[in-house]
PDB file of all heavy atoms in Angstrom:
ATOM      1  N   LEU A1438      14.673   1.334 -12.603  1.00  0.00           N
ATOM      2  CA  LEU A1438      14.561  -0.123 -12.525  1.00  0.00           C
ATOM      3  C   LEU A1438      15.277  -0.684 -11.299  1.00  0.00           C
ATOM      4  O   LEU A1438      14.824  -1.661 -10.694  1.00  0.00           O
ATOM      5  CB  LEU A1438      15.131  -0.767 -13.794  1.00  0.00           C
ATOM      6  CG  LEU A1438      14.286  -0.594 -15.063  1.00  0.00           C
ATOM      7  CD1 LEU A1438      15.052  -1.072 -16.284  1.00  0.00           C
ATOM      8  CD2 LEU A1438      12.966  -1.331 -14.935  1.00  0.00           C
ATOM      9  N   GLY A1439      16.375  -0.064 -10.931  1.00  0.00           N
ATOM     10  CA  GLY A1439      17.102  -0.513  -9.744  1.00  0.00           C
ATOM     11  C   GLY A1439      16.271  -0.434  -8.476  1.00  0.00           C
ATOM     12  O   GLY A1439      16.380  -1.286  -7.590  1.00  0.00           O
ATOM     13  N   GLU A1440      15.415   0.582  -8.392  1.00  0.00           N
ATOM     14  CA  GLU A1440      14.541   0.736  -7.226  1.00  0.00           C
ATOM     15  C   GLU A1440      13.505  -0.389  -7.153  1.00  0.00           C
ATOM     16  O   GLU A1440      12.927  -0.641  -6.095  1.00  0.00           O
ATOM     17  CB  GLU A1440      13.823   2.090  -7.284  1.00  0.00           C
ATOM     18  CG  GLU A1440      14.728   3.297  -7.103  1.00  0.00           C
ATOM     19  CD  GLU A1440      15.261   3.401  -5.681  1.00  0.00           C
ATOM     20  OE1 GLU A1440      14.540   2.987  -4.746  1.00  0.00           O
ATOM     21  OE2 GLU A1440      16.399   3.879  -5.508  1.00  0.00           O
ATOM     22  N   LEU A1441      13.259  -1.077  -8.270  1.00  0.00           N
ATOM     23  CA  LEU A1441      12.305  -2.188  -8.298  1.00  0.00           C
ATOM     24  C   LEU A1441      12.991  -3.526  -8.081  1.00  0.00           C
ATOM     25  O   LEU A1441      12.345  -4.578  -8.140  1.00  0.00           O
ATOM     26  CB  LEU A1441      11.564  -2.208  -9.637  1.00  0.00           C
ATOM     27  CG  LEU A1441      10.754  -0.962  -9.986  1.00  0.00           C
ATOM     28  CD1 LEU A1441      10.086  -1.123 -11.339  1.00  0.00           C
ATOM     29  CD2 LEU A1441       9.718  -0.678  -8.906  1.00  0.00           C
ATOM     30  N   GLY A1442      14.297  -3.487  -7.838  1.00  0.00           N
ATOM     31  CA  GLY A1442      15.026  -4.721  -7.577  1.00  0.00           C
ATOM     32  C   GLY A1442      15.704  -5.340  -8.778  1.00  0.00           C
ATOM     33  O   GLY A1442      16.248  -6.439  -8.683  1.00  0.00           O
ATOM     34  N   VAL A1443      15.678  -4.647  -9.926  1.00  0.00           N
ATOM     35  CA  VAL A1443      16.363  -5.169 -11.106  1.00  0.00           C
ATOM     36  C   VAL A1443      17.863  -4.902 -10.957  1.00  0.00           C
ATOM     37  O   VAL A1443      18.264  -3.748 -10.785  1.00  0.00           O
ATOM     38  CB  VAL A1443      15.839  -4.508 -12.396  1.00  0.00           C
ATOM     39  CG1 VAL A1443      16.516  -5.116 -13.617  1.00  0.00           C
ATOM     40  CG2 VAL A1443      14.324  -4.657 -12.489  1.00  0.00           C
ATOM     41  N   PRO A1444      18.708  -5.945 -11.003  1.00  0.00           N
ATOM     42  CA  PRO A1444      20.150  -5.731 -10.839  1.00  0.00           C
ATOM     43  C   PRO A1444      20.715  -4.853 -11.952  1.00  0.00           C
ATOM     44  O   PRO A1444      20.357  -5.010 -13.123  1.00  0.00           O
ATOM     45  CB  PRO A1444      20.728  -7.152 -10.919  1.00  0.00           C
ATOM     46  CG  PRO A1444      19.581  -8.068 -10.655  1.00  0.00           C
ATOM     47  CD  PRO A1444      18.363  -7.366 -11.181  1.00  0.00           C
ATOM     48  N   THR A1445      21.581  -3.935 -11.585  1.00  0.00           N
ATOM     49  CA  THR A1445      22.238  -3.101 -12.586  1.00  0.00           C
ATOM     50  C   THR A1445      23.212  -3.940 -13.390  1.00  0.00           C
ATOM     51  O   THR A1445      24.046  -4.645 -12.821  1.00  0.00           O
ATOM     52  CB  THR A1445      22.991  -1.944 -11.910  1.00  0.00           C
ATOM     53  OG1 THR A1445      22.089  -1.191 -11.113  1.00  0.00           O
ATOM     54  CG2 THR A1445      23.631  -1.031 -12.946  1.00  0.00           C
ATOM     55  N   PRO A1446      23.115  -3.912 -14.712  1.00  0.00           N
ATOM     56  CA  PRO A1446      24.055  -4.696 -15.541  1.00  0.00           C
ATOM     57  C   PRO A1446      25.497  -4.276 -15.284  1.00  0.00           C
ATOM     58  O   PRO A1446      25.777  -3.138 -14.889  1.00  0.00           O
ATOM     59  CB  PRO A1446      23.624  -4.359 -16.969  1.00  0.00           C
ATOM     60  CG  PRO A1446      22.196  -3.910 -16.852  1.00  0.00           C
ATOM     61  CD  PRO A1446      22.103  -3.214 -15.531  1.00  0.00           C
ATOM     62  N   ASP A1447      26.395  -5.208 -15.504  1.00  0.00           N
ATOM     63  CA  ASP A1447      27.818  -4.890 -15.336  1.00  0.00           C
ATOM     64  C   ASP A1447      28.241  -3.781 -16.288  1.00  0.00           C
ATOM     65  O   ASP A1447      29.113  -2.965 -15.962  1.00  0.00           O
ATOM     66  CB  ASP A1447      28.672  -6.139 -15.584  1.00  0.00           C
ATOM     67  CG  ASP A1447      28.464  -7.213 -14.519  1.00  0.00           C
ATOM     68  OD1 ASP A1447      28.085  -6.848 -13.382  1.00  0.00           O
ATOM     69  OD2 ASP A1447      28.665  -8.398 -14.826  1.00  0.00           O
ATOM     70  N   SER A1448      27.623  -3.755 -17.462  1.00  0.00           N
ATOM     71  CA  SER A1448      27.918  -2.702 -18.437  1.00  0.00           C
ATOM     72  C   SER A1448      26.752  -2.603 -19.405  1.00  0.00           C
ATOM     73  O   SER A1448      26.004  -3.560 -19.601  1.00  0.00           O
ATOM     74  CB  SER A1448      29.212  -3.012 -19.201  1.00  0.00           C
ATOM     75  OG  SER A1448      29.079  -4.220 -19.928  1.00  0.00           O
ATOM     76  N   PRO A1449      26.559  -1.445 -20.032  1.00  0.00           N
ATOM     77  CA  PRO A1449      25.511  -1.304 -21.054  1.00  0.00           C
ATOM     78  C   PRO A1449      25.872  -2.126 -22.292  1.00  0.00           C
ATOM     79  O   PRO A1449      27.038  -2.479 -22.493  1.00  0.00           O
ATOM     80  CB  PRO A1449      25.513   0.196 -21.369  1.00  0.00           C
ATOM     81  CG  PRO A1449      26.327   0.836 -20.288  1.00  0.00           C
ATOM     82  CD  PRO A1449      27.291  -0.197 -19.818  1.00  0.00           C
ATOM     83  N   PRO A1450      24.891  -2.423 -23.136  1.00  0.00           N
ATOM     84  CA  PRO A1450      25.198  -3.147 -24.378  1.00  0.00           C
ATOM     85  C   PRO A1450      25.965  -2.269 -25.356  1.00  0.00           C
ATOM     86  O   PRO A1450      25.849  -1.046 -25.331  1.00  0.00           O
ATOM     87  CB  PRO A1450      23.816  -3.511 -24.926  1.00  0.00           C
ATOM     88  CG  PRO A1450      22.899  -2.465 -24.357  1.00  0.00           C
ATOM     89  CD  PRO A1450      23.442  -2.136 -23.010  1.00  0.00           C
ATOM     90  N   ALA A1451      26.728  -2.902 -26.214  1.00  0.00           N
ATOM     91  CA  ALA A1451      27.479  -2.156 -27.232  1.00  0.00           C
ATOM     92  C   ALA A1451      26.517  -1.541 -28.245  1.00  0.00           C
ATOM     93  O   ALA A1451      25.546  -2.170 -28.661  1.00  0.00           O
ATOM     94  CB  ALA A1451      28.460  -3.078 -27.938  1.00  0.00           C
ATOM     95  N   VAL A1452      26.797  -0.304 -28.618  1.00  0.00           N
ATOM     96  CA  VAL A1452      25.980   0.389 -29.615  1.00  0.00           C
ATOM     97  C   VAL A1452      26.216  -0.220 -30.997  1.00  0.00           C
ATOM     98  O   VAL A1452      27.352  -0.517 -31.380  1.00  0.00           O
ATOM     99  CB  VAL A1452      26.325   1.894 -29.629  1.00  0.00           C
ATOM    100  CG1 VAL A1452      25.725   2.580 -30.843  1.00  0.00           C
ATOM    101  CG2 VAL A1452      25.839   2.559 -28.349  1.00  0.00           C
ATOM    102  N   ASP A1453      25.118  -0.436 -31.734  1.00  0.00           N
ATOM    103  CA  ASP A1453      25.183  -1.002 -33.079  1.00  0.00           C
ATOM    104  C   ASP A1453      25.094   0.137 -34.090  1.00  0.00           C
ATOM    105  O   ASP A1453      24.025   0.703 -34.299  1.00  0.00           O
ATOM    106  CB  ASP A1453      24.029  -1.991 -33.279  1.00  0.00           C
ATOM    107  CG  ASP A1453      24.038  -2.626 -34.656  1.00  0.00           C
ATOM    108  OD1 ASP A1453      24.997  -2.382 -35.420  1.00  0.00           O
ATOM    109  OD2 ASP A1453      23.083  -3.351 -34.985  1.00  0.00           O
ATOM    110  N   ARG A1454      26.205   0.451 -34.727  1.00  0.00           N
ATOM    111  CA  ARG A1454      26.241   1.594 -35.649  1.00  0.00           C
ATOM    112  C   ARG A1454      26.013   1.138 -37.096  1.00  0.00           C
ATOM    113  O   ARG A1454      26.859   1.327 -37.971  1.00  0.00           O
ATOM    114  CB  ARG A1454      27.565   2.332 -35.512  1.00  0.00           C
ATOM    115  CG  ARG A1454      27.710   3.043 -34.175  1.00  0.00           C
ATOM    116  CD  ARG A1454      29.044   3.761 -34.065  1.00  0.00           C
ATOM    117  NE  ARG A1454      29.121   4.528 -32.828  1.00  0.00           N
ATOM    118  CZ  ARG A1454      28.717   5.775 -32.688  1.00  0.00           C
ATOM    119  NH1 ARG A1454      28.207   6.419 -33.726  1.00  0.00           N
ATOM    120  NH2 ARG A1454      28.825   6.397 -31.537  1.00  0.00           N
ATOM    121  N   TYR A1455      24.859   0.543 -37.338  1.00  0.00           N
ATOM    122  CA  TYR A1455      24.535   0.140 -38.704  1.00  0.00           C
ATOM    123  C   TYR A1455      24.095   1.360 -39.516  1.00  0.00           C
ATOM    124  O   TYR A1455      23.791   2.418 -38.983  1.00  0.00           O
ATOM    125  CB  TYR A1455      23.427  -0.920 -38.698  1.00  0.00           C
ATOM    126  CG  TYR A1455      22.039  -0.400 -38.401  1.00  0.00           C
ATOM    127  CD1 TYR A1455      21.182  -0.029 -39.427  1.00  0.00           C
ATOM    128  CD2 TYR A1455      21.576  -0.267 -37.086  1.00  0.00           C
ATOM    129  CE1 TYR A1455      19.908   0.451 -39.161  1.00  0.00           C
ATOM    130  CE2 TYR A1455      20.315   0.206 -36.818  1.00  0.00           C
ATOM    131  CZ  TYR A1455      19.480   0.568 -37.852  1.00  0.00           C
ATOM    132  OH  TYR A1455      18.224   1.049 -37.579  1.00  0.00           O
ATOM    133  N   THR A1456      24.042   1.206 -40.825  1.00  0.00           N
ATOM    134  CA  THR A1456      23.565   2.260 -41.722  1.00  0.00           C
ATOM    135  C   THR A1456      22.315   1.765 -42.422  1.00  0.00           C
ATOM    136  O   THR A1456      22.303   0.662 -42.970  1.00  0.00           O
ATOM    137  CB  THR A1456      24.622   2.620 -42.775  1.00  0.00           C
ATOM    138  OG1 THR A1456      25.810   3.061 -42.106  1.00  0.00           O
ATOM    139  CG2 THR A1456      24.126   3.729 -43.688  1.00  0.00           C
ATOM    140  N   SER A1457      21.259   2.567 -42.411  1.00  0.00           N
ATOM    141  CA  SER A1457      20.008   2.136 -43.025  1.00  0.00           C
ATOM    142  C   SER A1457      20.105   2.234 -44.541  1.00  0.00           C
ATOM    143  O   SER A1457      21.006   2.859 -45.092  1.00  0.00           O
ATOM    144  CB  SER A1457      18.836   2.980 -42.529  1.00  0.00           C
ATOM    145  OG  SER A1457      18.850   4.260 -43.130  1.00  0.00           O
ATOM    146  N   ALA A1458      19.130   1.614 -45.193  1.00  0.00           N
ATOM    147  CA  ALA A1458      19.125   1.569 -46.660  1.00  0.00           C
ATOM    148  C   ALA A1458      18.372   2.727 -47.278  1.00  0.00           C
ATOM    149  O   ALA A1458      18.046   2.702 -48.455  1.00  0.00           O
ATOM    150  CB  ALA A1458      18.517   0.247 -47.114  1.00  0.00           C
ATOM    151  N   GLY A1459      18.076   3.763 -46.512  1.00  0.00           N
ATOM    152  CA  GLY A1459      17.378   4.918 -47.057  1.00  0.00           C
ATOM    153  C   GLY A1459      15.950   4.993 -46.585  1.00  0.00           C
ATOM    154  O   GLY A1459      15.552   4.330 -45.639  1.00  0.00           O
ATOM    155  N   PRO A1460      15.121   5.820 -47.238  1.00  0.00           N
ATOM    156  CA  PRO A1460      13.739   6.026 -46.806  1.00  0.00           C
ATOM    157  C   PRO A1460      12.960   4.725 -46.763  1.00  0.00           C
ATOM    158  O   PRO A1460      13.173   3.819 -47.565  1.00  0.00           O
ATOM    159  CB  PRO A1460      13.171   6.979 -47.863  1.00  0.00           C
ATOM    160  CG  PRO A1460      14.375   7.657 -48.434  1.00  0.00           C
ATOM    161  CD  PRO A1460      15.471   6.642 -48.398  1.00  0.00           C
ATOM    162  N   ALA A1461      12.054   4.633 -45.804  1.00  0.00           N
ATOM    163  CA  ALA A1461      11.258   3.432 -45.638  1.00  0.00           C
ATOM    164  C   ALA A1461      10.198   3.334 -46.725  1.00  0.00           C
ATOM    165  O   ALA A1461       9.702   4.341 -47.218  1.00  0.00           O
ATOM    166  CB  ALA A1461      10.594   3.438 -44.266  1.00  0.00           C
ATOM    167  N   PRO A1462       9.828   2.102 -47.114  1.00  0.00           N
ATOM    168  CA  PRO A1462       8.722   1.936 -48.053  1.00  0.00           C
ATOM    169  C   PRO A1462       7.403   2.291 -47.384  1.00  0.00           C
ATOM    170  O   PRO A1462       7.314   2.396 -46.164  1.00  0.00           O
ATOM    171  CB  PRO A1462       8.782   0.439 -48.384  1.00  0.00           C
ATOM    172  CG  PRO A1462       9.440  -0.189 -47.194  1.00  0.00           C
ATOM    173  CD  PRO A1462      10.423   0.832 -46.693  1.00  0.00           C
ATOM    174  N   ALA A1463       6.348   2.474 -48.186  1.00  0.00           N
ATOM    175  CA  ALA A1463       5.034   2.789 -47.638  1.00  0.00           C
ATOM    176  C   ALA A1463       4.572   1.642 -46.753  1.00  0.00           C
ATOM    177  O   ALA A1463       4.708   0.477 -47.108  1.00  0.00           O
ATOM    178  CB  ALA A1463       4.035   3.011 -48.766  1.00  0.00           C
ATOM    179  N   PRO A1464       4.055   1.949 -45.532  1.00  0.00           N
ATOM    180  CA  PRO A1464       3.611   0.895 -44.631  1.00  0.00           C
ATOM    181  C   PRO A1464       2.437   0.123 -45.209  1.00  0.00           C
ATOM    182  O   PRO A1464       1.605   0.662 -45.943  1.00  0.00           O
ATOM    183  CB  PRO A1464       3.210   1.663 -43.363  1.00  0.00           C
ATOM    184  CG  PRO A1464       2.924   3.052 -43.818  1.00  0.00           C
ATOM    185  CD  PRO A1464       3.832   3.288 -44.984  1.00  0.00           C
ATOM    186  N   THR A1465       2.392  -1.172 -44.884  1.00  0.00           N
ATOM    187  CA  THR A1465       1.291  -2.018 -45.322  1.00  0.00           C
ATOM    188  C   THR A1465       0.575  -2.585 -44.118  1.00  0.00           C
ATOM    189  O   THR A1465       1.130  -2.638 -43.026  1.00  0.00           O
ATOM    190  CB  THR A1465       1.796  -3.179 -46.197  1.00  0.00           C
ATOM    191  OG1 THR A1465       2.766  -3.935 -45.452  1.00  0.00           O
ATOM    192  CG2 THR A1465       2.444  -2.658 -47.466  1.00  0.00           C
ATOM    193  N   THR A1466      -0.655  -2.988 -44.310  1.00  0.00           N
ATOM    194  CA  THR A1466      -1.447  -3.561 -43.240  1.00  0.00           C
ATOM    195  C   THR A1466      -1.540  -5.065 -43.448  1.00  0.00           C
ATOM    196  O   THR A1466      -1.897  -5.527 -44.526  1.00  0.00           O
ATOM    197  CB  THR A1466      -2.870  -2.967 -43.232  1.00  0.00           C
ATOM    198  OG1 THR A1466      -2.758  -1.564 -43.078  1.00  0.00           O
ATOM    199  CG2 THR A1466      -3.689  -3.540 -42.079  1.00  0.00           C
ATOM    200  N   THR A1467      -1.197  -5.818 -42.409  1.00  0.00           N
ATOM    201  CA  THR A1467      -1.243  -7.269 -42.470  1.00  0.00           C
ATOM    202  C   THR A1467      -2.374  -7.771 -41.613  1.00  0.00           C
ATOM    203  O   THR A1467      -2.512  -7.375 -40.450  1.00  0.00           O
ATOM    204  CB  THR A1467       0.088  -7.876 -41.965  1.00  0.00           C
ATOM    205  OG1 THR A1467       1.146  -7.340 -42.754  1.00  0.00           O
ATOM    206  CG2 THR A1467       0.073  -9.386 -42.087  1.00  0.00           C
ATOM    207  N   ALA A1468      -3.179  -8.652 -42.144  1.00  0.00           N
ATOM    208  CA  ALA A1468      -4.306  -9.193 -41.391  1.00  0.00           C
ATOM    209  C   ALA A1468      -3.816 -10.066 -40.260  1.00  0.00           C
ATOM    210  O   ALA A1468      -2.777 -10.714 -40.352  1.00  0.00           O
ATOM    211  CB  ALA A1468      -5.194 -10.020 -42.328  1.00  0.00           C
ATOM    212  N   ALA A1469      -4.566 -10.095 -39.169  1.00  0.00           N
ATOM    213  CA  ALA A1469      -4.201 -10.908 -38.011  1.00  0.00           C
ATOM    214  C   ALA A1469      -4.347 -12.382 -38.358  1.00  0.00           C
ATOM    215  O   ALA A1469      -5.197 -12.778 -39.157  1.00  0.00           O
ATOM    216  CB  ALA A1469      -5.109 -10.569 -36.829  1.00  0.00           C
ATOM    217  N   GLY A1470      -3.495 -13.239 -37.751  1.00  0.00           N
ATOM    218  CA  GLY A1470      -3.552 -14.667 -37.992  1.00  0.00           C
ATOM    219  C   GLY A1470      -4.839 -15.269 -37.459  1.00  0.00           C
ATOM    220  O   GLY A1470      -5.451 -14.765 -36.522  1.00  0.00           O
TER     221      GLY A1470
END
């Protein structure tokens, strides 16, 4: 990204060490608006 002119951030973002609630539910399909 730096080669494309994007300024290097002063520092990377802090890592978010959350804990998930376990296995994901079965995916569902939502109709488009």
